[in-house]
Amino acid sequence: MLGLRRKYIVSLVVVIFLTWNVLMYFVLISRNPGKTNVESVEQHLMDLQGDLKKQLVDNEQLLQSLRKFRQRALEVKAQKVLKTTTKKPDPPKTKANIDPATVKLPILMIACDRVTVSRSLDLLLKHRKDAERFPIIVSQDCGHQPTADVINKYVKDKSVESHIKVPNDTNSNIHPDLSDIKLPWPQRKFTGYFKISRHYKWALNQIFNVFNYSAVIIVEDDLDISPDFYEYFSATFKILHEDDSLWCVSAWNDNGKNGMVSDDSELLYRTDFFPGLGWMMEGHTWQELAPKWPEAFWDDWMRAPEQRKDRVCIRPEICRTSTFGKKGVSRGLFFEKHLKFIRLNSNFVPFTQKDLSYLKKENYDEDFKKQVYDVPEFTIAEVTSGNKKHLKAVRVTYSTKEQFKSTAKKLGIMDDFKAWGSKNGLQGNSELCI
């Protein structure tokens, strides 16, 4: 209706202007019959052409004003819809008024265009014993309708609390930005990473600023989970909440491959490397990260010293997640060489019944250092010779990035690194215990 009205106003203005100029032309001719020569006609046509150009400029300005008016009207309408569809948040929770034993720990699943999202959701539902404490929220990017249809089946039977996605009409839920990201030619191959980072920021803002949760467990739509996935995060949340030197808990061990990990499924460690792939953080950490969240490669950015600030994460010896997503934005990078060999824990460990206070910094660091230096040291050549297989653990020392990469390749572990030592480089020697 607004578009038709706009066209009508513009047409009316043009007709009135042309009519006025024609009438003026005949009036002038009637007053000056002696000046009807060719030169006077040409001059008048030139004047008329100038007036028409000016009128076109005025019309364009009018159109711009109408467009702005229409855009503002749509924004006001969208805000009204948002107010009626979004629940009013509870008062924000702080560290002081959170009970670690009962705080809700929502599962935020980041989804895109995998209809196999049902595989991940089925496992999350299978192993979940407390639906109220662990609500499941799926945030879908990409606008892939077949995937949205799969997710909506879980929403309809109320096994999934919310599906925040692209709206099909103006009355739908709030949604992530699906617009194209324009990048210079050399960076266009990384467009997917820019969209993922944008989606993560939007979804985490929903969790903490709209749903108003105090913490979150983040998974993706290509992860399997272990039977004690929820038990693990329930128990470690208390440590995360109480120890300021921690900033995340991860279910992942980058080197957790078959044949390379202990059979002790209770082993947990502190690590200064951000593992990701099924991880938990608190809201105050997000409020710190959100204002400077990167446009792309968010996980590598998390590993930089400027973000980590000497804080560490808890991670297991045996992974509590594994990935089946061979195809994705990374195009299978590391999947064939590492990821498909990751061992997923199959035993249920009652972590909530165990004392995990050893993971706090004041209890952990000295004990771990003692464990490392009590282990016999060998060169990488001695370790790979096969003569030390009878030993439970050995220690290999390296001092440079190049030595680390060479050692890691010979041991068959991840040789990828994103941040190294401090801002001024590696400080002292480091030990790799295997």
Side-chain angles (χ1 to χ4, degrees), residues 287-304:
Q287 301 309 327
E288 172 196 329
L289 298 175
K292 56 179 181 175
W293 191 252
E295 292 184 335
F297 306 106
W298 68 269
D299 47 349
D300 292 338
W301 176 84
M302 288 276 288
R303 294 171 184 132

Side-chain angles (χ1 to χ4, degrees), residues 19-194:
T19 303
W20 171 258
N21 278 277
V22 171
L23 289 173
M24 289 300 297
Y25 174 72
F26 283 109
V27 169
L28 290 172
I29 289 179
S30 64
R31 290 183 178 180
N32 301 283
K35 294 184 180 180
T36 56
N37 53 51
V38 174
E39 290 182 1
S40 64
V41 172
E42 288 180 350
Q43 181 61 44
H44 188 74
L45 287 174
M46 290 175 64
D47 293 341
L48 182 61
Q49 183 180 13
D51 290 340
L52 284 172
K53 287 181 178 179
K54 182 178 182 303
Q55 187 61 45
L56 288 173
V57 171
D58 293 340
N59 290 344
E60 182 61 30
Q61 292 176 347
L62 177 61
L63 284 173
Q64 291 293 342
S65 297
L66 289 171
R67 289 192 185 104
K68 290 180 180 179
F69 175 78
R70 179 175 181 273
Q71 181 63 31
R72 179 57 185 160
L74 291 174
E75 289 175 357
V76 171
K77 183 178 180 182
Q79 289 174 1
K80 290 180 179 179
V81 171
L82 183 60
K83 287 180 181 178
T84 58
T85 56
T86 304
K87 65 179 182 180
K88 185 178 180 180
D90 298 326
K93 298 180 179 64
T94 63
K95 268 203 165 191
N97 61 15
I98 293 175
D99 181 359
T102 60
V103 64
K104 285 190 177 183
L105 300 175
I107 310 298
L108 171 63
M109 176 176 284
I110 300 293
C112 181
D113 58 357
R114 288 189 178 100
V115 293
T116 51
V117 64
S118 58
R119 171 172 167 175
S120 295
L121 286 172
D122 286 343
L123 277 175
L124 284 171
L125 294 171
K126 176 182 177 181
H127 297 310
R128 184 177 68 170
K129 307 302 181 186
D130 188 344
E132 185 164 345
R133 192 181 185 200
F134 298 101
I136 298 172
I137 298 171
V138 182
S139 180
Q140 185 196 356
D141 198 2
C142 306
H144 189 247
Q145 193 57 46
T147 300
D149 292 340
V150 171
I151 298 167
N152 280 327
K153 291 179 182 178
Y154 292 87
V155 177
K156 287 178 181 178
D157 68 15
K158 301 187 184 306
S159 54
V160 169
E161 180 176 288
S162 181
H163 177 196
I164 46 181
K165 61 181 181 65
V166 173
N168 294 321
D169 56 67
T170 56
N171 292 319
S172 293
N173 225 339
I174 46 183
H175 60 94
D177 183 3
L178 294 185
S179 62
D180 286 334
I181 297 176
K182 295 182 180 180
L183 299 172
W185 178 80
Q187 290 184 304
R188 287 177 191 169
K189 62 183 178 181
F190 301 127
T191 299
Y193 293 101
F194 279 80

Side-chain angles (χ1 to χ4, degrees), residues 154-379:
Y154 292 87
V155 177
K156 287 178 181 178
D157 68 15
K158 301 187 184 306
S159 54
V160 169
E161 180 176 288
S162 181
H163 177 196
I164 46 181
K165 61 181 181 65
V166 173
N168 294 321
D169 56 67
T170 56
N171 292 319
S172 293
N173 225 339
I174 46 183
H175 60 94
D177 183 3
L178 294 185
S179 62
D180 286 334
I181 297 176
K182 295 182 180 180
L183 299 172
W185 178 80
Q187 290 184 304
R188 287 177 191 169
K189 62 183 178 181
F190 301 127
T191 299
Y193 293 101
F194 279 80
K195 289 184 176 181
I196 288 173
S197 190
R198 178 176 67 181
H199 184 197
Y200 260 84
K201 181 176 183 179
W202 180 86
L204 287 168
N205 275 329
Q206 299 305 307
I207 290 295
F208 292 116
N209 300 334
V210 177
F211 292 99
N212 202 43
Y213 287 113
S214 302
V216 67
I217 300 169
I218 304 161
V219 297
E220 297 186 8
D221 58 356
D222 61 348
L223 292 182
D224 290 333
I225 65 168
S226 66
D228 59 355
F229 175 87
Y230 292 100
E231 178 76 0
Y232 169 69
F233 282 112
S234 292
T236 52
F237 177 75
K238 185 176 186 295
I239 308 298
L240 173 66
H241 181 68
E242 294 175 351
D243 187 347
D244 290 335
S245 70
L246 290 168
W247 72 324
C248 87
V249 175
S250 176
W252 182 261
N253 173 9
D254 257 323
N255 292 307
K257 294 189 287 188
N258 285 313
M260 296 188 66
V261 291
S262 166
D263 290 329
D264 187 352
S265 54
E266 294 186 17
L267 284 178
L268 304 180
Y269 296 97
R270 291 167 63 101
T271 174
D272 57 7
F273 183 82
F274 171 74
L277 289 177
W279 57 287
M280 174 172 62
M281 72 170 170
E282 292 191 271
H284 66 87
T285 303
W286 174 245
Q287 301 309 327
E288 172 196 329
L289 298 175
K292 56 179 181 175
W293 191 252
E295 292 184 335
F297 306 106
W298 68 269
D299 47 349
D300 292 338
W301 176 84
M302 288 276 288
R303 294 171 184 132
E306 293 78 9
Q307 278 62 253
R308 190 169 69 81
K309 297 179 180 178
D310 291 325
R311 293 172 294 190
V312 303
C313 296
I314 294 173
R315 61 96 174 160
E317 170 77 354
I318 305 177
C319 291
R320 265 56 187 186
T321 58
S322 65
T323 178
F324 57 85
K326 179 179 179 179
K327 294 183 179 179
V329 174
S330 63
R331 299 180 182 178
L333 184 66
F334 295 130
F335 187 87
E336 289 297 329
K337 189 176 181 181
H338 291 286
L339 299 181
K340 75 176 184 179
F341 301 109
I342 290 293
R343 176 178 172 182
L344 180 65
N345 181 58
S346 57
N347 301 319
F348 184 91
V349 177
F351 283 115
T352 55
Q353 299 174 28
K354 297 182 178 296
D355 181 7
L356 300 184
S357 60
Y358 70 91
L359 289 167
K360 291 185 176 182
K361 181 178 178 61
E362 62 267 24
N363 302 326
Y364 184 91
D365 286 359
E366 287 302 316
D367 184 61
F368 182 72
K369 187 183 295 186
K370 184 177 184 303
Q371 288 183 48
V372 170
Y373 287 101
D374 281 349
V375 171
E377 181 181 0
F378 297 98
T379 65

